[in-house]
Amino acid sequence: MLQDRLLVRLSTEEGERRSSGGIVIPATAQVARRLAWGDVQGVGTSVRNIKVGDRVLFNAEDQFEVEVHGKTYLVMRERDVHAIASERTEHGTGLYL
C-alpha cells in the first residue's frame, strides 16, 4: 500500500442479528447507514496510528473495492477510519476510539 492507504478485509457478519433486548433483526432489515468493522491487512508508509491486524470501524459504502486472488478487500485512507479496536494498551484501555 502507498502513502496513507489501508487494505481492509470486511468482517463477514451476515445473517440475522439480535438486539441487546433480545429482538431478532433479520439480515434484510435496513435501519440506517451502518458502520462496518474490518481487519487491516496492509498499511501504507505514511499511516501513523493503525497497524496490520487492527480491527477498524468505517463506512463501507464510501470505500473502493479490489479483488486479490479471489478475495474482496476495501482500500481507504487512514482519515476515513472512525475507530480502532486493538490489543495494544499503550494508550490506556486497549480500546482506542
Side-chain angles (χ1 to χ4, degrees), residues 14-89:
E14 298 178 19
E16 58 187 33
R17 300 183 311 262
R18 194 171 290 274
S19 72
S20 60
I23 298 171
V24 176
I25 303 168
T28 57
Q30 195 74 359
V31 178
R33 288 181 49 185
R34 190 172 170 92
L35 296 177
W37 286 100
D39 299 312
V40 178
Q41 303 296 308
V43 297
T45 56
S46 299
V47 175
R48 295 178 292 172
N49 297 317
I50 301 171
K51 307 284 186 230
V52 172
D54 283 350
R55 193 162 167 80
V56 293
L57 183 67
F58 58 92
N59 183 359
E61 295 175 4
D62 293 337
Q63 309 311 322
F64 297 105
E65 285 188 8
V66 63
E67 188 173 318
V68 179
H69 298 292
K71 295 182 181 178
T72 303
Y73 298 92
L74 299 176
V75 176
M76 68 185 71
R77 292 181 176 263
E78 182 180 21
R79 69 179 181 211
D80 294 334
V81 172
H82 295 281
I84 305 168
S86 72
E87 297 297 323
R88 297 189 318 260
T89 57

